[in-house]
Amino acid sequence: MTQSDNRRLGVELFNSVWRLMETREDDERMLHAAHASAYHWSEAPECEPKNRARSEWQVSRVYTVLGRAEPALHHAQRCLEICEANADKIEEWDLPFAYEALARAHRVAGMNQEAAGYKQKAKELGEQIRDQEDREHLHEALASIS
């Protein structure tokens, strides 16, 4: 396997996870694909902190879809840690989405007060996102946290 294969697989698997989250046709495949995407991205020479953070974000999201709070919390926290440690190497929307992941994971854990706090933090940081489309994506994600 070449280094470019790792990037290609990371991207392909990341995208297939989205389809599997939408269809819920194969939850086991979705979970394995999310972890495989994170692995292949981490092995790609182009892997930057933003790619690692987004991988952790997606893995957390998959676990919330599956209703599995503990691993969702773990991966959401990893996403936040990567964002905080690399503030100068991520996009302006990565940190608000890290808080969105924490809000969603806490909601799945039944920790509604914590979820509300993280959701509010995501909203506040989201207001600083300059690109309107990116800001709208965050608002949509936050609105889907029930």
Side-chain angles (χ1 to χ4, degrees):
M1 181 176 298
T2 67
Q3 291 181 334
S4 64
D5 288 336
N6 279 311
R7 183 186 188 286
R8 179 184 54 77
L9 285 169
V11 170
E12 287 176 9
L13 288 162
F14 189 93
N15 292 333
S16 73
V17 169
W18 277 110
R19 184 184 57 75
L20 290 166
M21 276 195 286
E22 291 170 1
T23 64
R24 298 293 303 275
E25 67 190 59
D26 190 337
D27 287 349
E28 287 299 313
R29 184 177 184 85
M30 174 180 62
L31 178 60
H32 292 308
H35 280 286
S37 173
Y39 169 78
H40 285 293
W41 257 118
S42 74
E43 293 294 307
E46 308 89 350
C47 184
E48 298 179 22
K50 65 184 179 183
N51 305 112
R52 289 186 8 253
R54 293 169 192 168
S55 292
E56 293 290 347
W57 176 88
Q58 188 181 56
V59 171
S60 176
R61 181 69 176 258
V62 164
Y63 278 114
T64 65
V65 167
L66 298 174
R68 296 184 55 196
E70 189 279 325
L73 288 163
H74 170 79
H75 291 284
Q77 185 62 42
R78 284 287 306 130
C79 177
L80 178 63
E81 290 167 359
I82 293 167
C83 287
E84 289 179 338
N86 298 281
D88 59 332
K89 297 176 182 135
I90 60 173
E91 304 294 330
E92 64 183 354
W93 50 270
D94 285 307
L95 184 58
F97 268 99
Y99 284 108
E100 178 269 343
L102 282 163
R104 190 175 300 278
H106 279 85
R107 181 76 72 205
V108 168
M111 303 168 77
N112 295 332
Q113 187 172 1
E114 292 87 347
Y118 286 121
K119 188 174 179 179
Q120 183 59 37
K121 181 83 170 172
K123 281 182 186 179
E124 291 169 5
L125 289 172
E127 293 307 315
Q128 299 171 21
I129 298 173
R130 289 180 292 255
D131 184 85
Q132 182 176 346
E133 188 174 328
D134 290 338
R135 208 170 40 252
E136 287 173 4
H137 285 303
L138 176 66
H139 291 302
E140 289 170 11
L142 292 170
S144 72
I145 300 172
S146 53

